[in-house]
Amino acid sequence: MRFRILGTLEVQAYGSRVALASPREQRALAALLLNPGSVVPVERLVDALWEDEPPATAVKQVRNCVSALRGRLGETGALIVTDGPGYRLQAGADDLDSLRFRRHVTAARGLAGQAKFVDAVEEIRAGLALWRGPALDGLRTATLAGRAAVLDEQRVDAVELCAEWQLRLGETGEVVRELTEFCGEHPMRELSHLLLMRALAKEGRYAEASTLFHGLRRRLADELGVDPNPELRRLHEQILAEATPAEDPGPVASEAPPEHHHDRAVTELAEAVTWQWRAEAELRSLHRPQPIALRWSALARPGKPALRGDLDDVAETFAALPVRQLVVLGDPGSGKSVLALMLTLELLRARAPGTPVPVLLSLASWDPRRDHLDRWLARRLADNHPALLNARVYGPDAPTRLVLGGHVVPILDGLDEMPADLRVAALDALDQTMAVGRSLVLTCRSAEYEQAARESAAVLGAATVVRLEPVARREAITYLSARGSERWLPVAERLRREPDAALGRVLRTPLMVDLARIVYGRPSADPAELLGAEDAGVLEGRLLDSFVPHAYAQVPQPPGRNPKTSPSGRYTAEQATHWLGFLARHLEQARSRDLAWWQLYRAVPAGTRSGLIGLLIALFFVVTGWVDDGPALAAIYGLSFGGAGYLTHRFGRPPEPLRTELRFAGAAGKFAGRFAIGAVVGVLLGLGWSLATGLVVFLAVVFGLVFAVHVWLAKPVDASRVSSPGTILRNERTGAIALSVSFLVSLGLFDGMAFAFTANTRFLPVLGGRYDLALAVAGGIAGASFGWFMARGTAAVCYGLAGAIAGGQVFPPATNPVLPVVAGVCFGGGIGLAVLVTRAWGNYFVHHAWLAATGRLPWRLMHFLDDAHRRGVLRQAGGVYQFRHARVQERLAAIGEGERKA
């Protein structure tokens, strides 16, 4: 006989199931099974059989029910015996699944006490396998529920014990898989969440662990009015501290407590974001005159309030939402980005100390298939505010701690600007990450959002969804005629008379209204030209095409105007359209909205850019080899090092800017350590090439200085300073030039001295003395070390082979004192160039020069981009530029494509 209560009630006799048709019989048997071997009084059985007031014949009916049970159980019915005031079920330890479960748990605890965790996990899993659902599922009355709940609690304890032992065994993946679903079933269970957080943290999934904590904290606060227990809070703080990037952030000063680091990071981030977007709003003239009225209304959703409003009250509405999640939908050009910017500024203005900082970011650079949302957010914070990575000032990895700690409100602009195949994954990731009630603002075109929601079956259920309404006819007329109403009278009359004609349909979006005011705002332009178009698409195209020529119209500059801070007249409309069209086409091909100078190399075909760099490097080494020993050695040097440069840039990792600045304070200790390392390298090289003692000492000093100067390139210290494309370029240029010059001087000096003063000692000569294996090994190690230091794996292999091929060459010492100087300068120049192009600025410099020489871009590109930004053609988002609107980029890309084909 087998009795099963760990799930629905089941009875099996001789391999077949015994039917208990009467609910009263089931309840009576359940009451006996919950107390195996103990007497269950008739009064308790009465309570178990009737939820409400029992009948007067309840005692008699209980006895009849027990008698019927005995009959249904057949021979096994004898297990139910009458004992004093009630009945007792004589079940053996193997007859009842709850008894077998307890036996497995007791045995598992004993094994764990002996540190036999593998056996303990196996034993407790055998017990958990007996469970088929909640105890007595579907059969609970008030009397049965209490005892059944005790069994359920024992199961929960067993699951947590198993997870704890698995964590000790390092089985974090199993724990994550099992506890993720379990925590969903038990959303208030703190120990289960604690164990799952530990497992996620051990797998490096810090963002998910922090999201889990925030969800638990919100539920505890909403339902019980309490905080998570101290152990959970300590674990969360530990996770925030451990969530550091792969690179070493450097030593952390001990004099400032973590709270000081954190508070300073939050305060200075708020200042930086405020300055950044206030300047951008002023540059776009969003306050002069007032921005065009944007009206919105909330989509009807069950449980969501019916809301309406305009641009002025969107921040107040957002702050009053029960869950601060807002999705802003609208048609192309409907003003979603303007609303996001103004909302950011208003939230910053009203922000109280210690509250989260709204951060406006473009979603165009996020790949949800590769990056967790929180990891991407932290990286964007670090890109836009690189000083936050200064561990000495802000603590270890402040961007990650700010994101995971809930101190950032992401305002994510442009889900529709992501590639179409990423939107579904992005919406699904947002739904999972933000489902715990974190604050969020998301903007997207209506059609793209609805399509992604249908395909992913994911929706931000807690979010309030609002849609931007078309510009009202009166608002459009008021905005257009703000600087001269008489000229706009024909347009106003047409809008009133024919609101659904081509002109009326076009002027329903803020983008087109704004373009119309820009293009026809000057006295020399006649707005009546807008009346001639009969097709809305043609009229939109005309406005888009007129935007850049109008922005670059030649106007007299007032006296005293600083050309560095105002648009200049040096660029014609034709040049600007050509260059901007090329950049727009480059971004469209890269499926990006972010115009980053360090990614400009992608505009050059891979074979061309790799060959260009390889050729430039080869030229220096060809001259070096020719001076050393004629054309044969020139060919060997050129092919080996030129080939290494080609392969490195064809298959290696593209460089990113390091975002450092020149700083001398507090670097004395590190300077001394680096100097010592460089001196040792100089000594080893000098001795290896049999140089005189004085020359070895000289090389030691030179290499020591070269190695030590790099400590002056450190992370910025002021997070309130906003990163910009120009700032990043200047700092990266300083670091790249310093690094390449240091290698040029040190290795060029060494090569020249080795050529002039080496004793020409042979170690393992082969090929008739023309090649030395010992020198080849030394050169290969040096080349591989150089390549690894500059660009990691691919470069290490390529330059290691080049160093082995070139380093093993044996050639006669110099006979002319000029030759070592020439050889040293050329060798150092080649090495310096190889170093330069592995840095972001050097890579940009070479490819920008190629594009400028071929007429596709201006020579002063950054000046041109800054000028375009001041003219309103581009907008700045942290360290990158973006076109003012996606439709402007798309239109210019089409123009650029037409020019290319022509």
Side-chain angles (χ1 to χ4, degrees), residues 13 271 314 350 353-354 382-383 490 530 542 575 620 676 691 773 849 878:
E271 293 178 5
V314 65
D383 289 344
L530 294 169
R542 183 190 304 171
Q575 289 175 319
F620 283 92
L691 298 179
L773 295 177

Side-chain angles (χ1 to χ4, degrees), residues 487-507:
R487 301 170 53 250
W488 290 94
L489 284 177
V491 174
E493 180 61 28
R494 174 67 64 85
L495 291 177
R496 294 189 186 97
R497 190 175 65 252
E498 302 178 26
D500 295 325
L503 180 61
R505 296 199 304 272
V506 169
L507 296 184

Side-chain angles (χ1 to χ4, degrees), residues 250-327:
V252 181
S254 59
E255 64 271 10
E259 293 81 3
H260 171 74
H261 294 315
H262 168 78
D263 293 343
R264 180 174 176 181
V266 172
T267 300
E268 295 191 1
L269 175 63
E271 293 178 5
V273 176
T274 301
W275 294 341
Q276 173 187 2
W277 294 113
R278 183 181 295 165
E280 192 68 19
E282 292 176 357
L283 198 60
R284 298 191 205 178
S285 300
L286 293 183
H287 300 291
R288 303 189 308 272
Q290 284 294 106
I292 190 169
L294 295 177
R295 302 191 184 279
W296 53 266
S297 58
L299 301 186
R301 290 174 61 176
K304 298 295 180 184
L307 300 173
R308 296 181 65 85
D310 56 26
L311 191 60
D312 294 332
D313 56 19
V314 65
E316 182 179 349
T317 302
F318 176 74
L321 292 175
V323 177
R324 294 186 180 180
Q325 293 185 358
L326 182 68
V327 177

Side-chain angles (χ1 to χ4, degrees), residues 11-140:
V11 181
Q12 291 184 343
Y14 307 109
S16 61
R17 185 169 180 175
V18 177
L20 300 174
S22 169
R24 291 181 183 175
E25 292 177 8
Q26 295 176 17
R27 292 172 183 169
L29 180 58
L32 294 171
L33 291 173
L34 286 171
N35 301 273
S38 300
V39 176
V40 181
V42 173
E43 291 77 7
R44 192 186 302 173
L45 288 173
V46 170
D47 293 336
L49 266 61
W50 286 277
E51 286 277 10
D52 301 322
E53 189 70 21
T57 60
V59 173
K60 182 179 179 180
Q61 292 189 44
V62 166
R63 289 172 180 164
N64 292 339
C65 185
V66 171
S67 177
L69 268 177
R70 287 169 173 165
R72 289 188 180 279
L73 296 178
E75 296 179 2
T76 311
L79 295 176
I80 304 176
V81 299
T82 304
D83 191 343
Y87 301 92
R88 176 166 45 86
L89 179 67
Q90 296 176 322
D94 291 330
D95 295 337
L96 183 58
D97 58 357
S98 61
L99 295 179
R100 289 157 55 201
F101 167 70
R102 290 171 186 166
R103 186 176 62 193
H104 282 298
V105 172
T106 301
R109 288 180 183 274
L111 291 168
Q114 303 173 37
K116 298 179 179 179
F117 295 111
V118 174
D119 297 332
V121 168
E122 184 178 351
E123 187 71 27
I124 205 167
R125 280 185 176 279
L128 289 169
L130 297 172
W131 285 81
R132 297 166 290 111
L136 294 177
D137 194 11
L139 195 62
R140 297 187 180 188

Side-chain angles (χ1 to χ4, degrees), residues 635-900:
I636 293 173
Y637 271 31
L639 290 174
S640 58
F641 284 101
Y646 174 86
L647 294 174
T648 294
H649 289 269
R650 184 65 187 268
F651 303 107
R653 183 177 61 183
E656 293 279 337
L658 298 182
R659 294 175 170 84
T660 57
E661 66 181 10
L662 198 62
R663 193 172 72 246
F664 302 98
K670 292 179 66 176
F671 185 93
R674 295 285 184 90
F675 183 91
I677 295 173
V680 170
V681 172
V683 169
L684 293 177
L685 288 174
L687 294 178
W689 265 262
S690 305
L691 298 179
T693 303
L695 296 177
V696 172
V697 172
F698 180 68
L699 280 179
V701 173
V702 171
F703 273 80
L705 290 173
V706 165
F707 272 60
V709 296
H710 303 304
V711 304
W712 293 334
L713 296 174
K715 297 294 182 186
V717 297
D718 186 3
S720 64
R721 290 169 51 193
V722 183
S723 182
S724 68
T727 301
I728 296 174
L729 184 138
R730 287 190 295 272
N731 291 341
E732 172 66 13
R733 179 174 58 200
T734 300
I737 292 176
L739 192 65
S740 60
V741 168
S742 65
F743 273 90
L744 185 156
V745 171
S746 59
L747 292 178
L749 184 63
F750 162 73
D751 183 77
M753 293 174 63
F755 186 26
F757 304 112
T758 181
N760 214 18
T761 303
R762 301 292 187 271
F763 299 97
L764 296 172
V766 294
L767 301 178
R770 295 287 300 173
Y771 194 80
D772 192 288
L773 295 177
L775 293 179
V777 171
I781 294 174
S785 301
F786 164 77
W788 178 264
F789 177 71
M790 296 313 305
R792 296 297 185 263
T794 303
V797 173
C798 295
Y799 281 102
L801 290 174
I805 294 172
Q809 303 296 323
V810 177
F811 46 87
T815 57
N816 187 326
V818 177
L819 294 181
V821 176
V822 176
V825 169
C826 292
F827 184 86
I831 292 294
L833 179 61
V835 171
L836 187 68
V837 294
T838 58
R839 292 291 297 263
W841 181 80
N843 192 46
Y844 158 78
F845 177 82
V846 171
H847 295 106
H848 166 236
W850 171 261
L851 293 172
T854 54
R856 285 171 280 185
L857 287 178
W859 285 101
R860 298 184 64 191
L861 176 61
M862 296 307 293
H863 183 275
F864 171 71
L865 295 179
D866 181 64
D867 181 72
H869 177 222
R870 296 183 183 281
R871 293 177 187 269
V873 179
L874 301 178
R875 64 189 182 193
Q876 183 180 315
V880 301
Y881 288 115
Q882 297 171 339
F883 280 91
R884 175 185 178 131
H885 194 277
R887 298 196 65 188
V888 174
Q889 175 178 316
E890 293 162 1
R891 189 73 179 186
L892 284 169
I895 295 175
E897 181 66 21
E899 289 183 354
R900 186 180 68 85

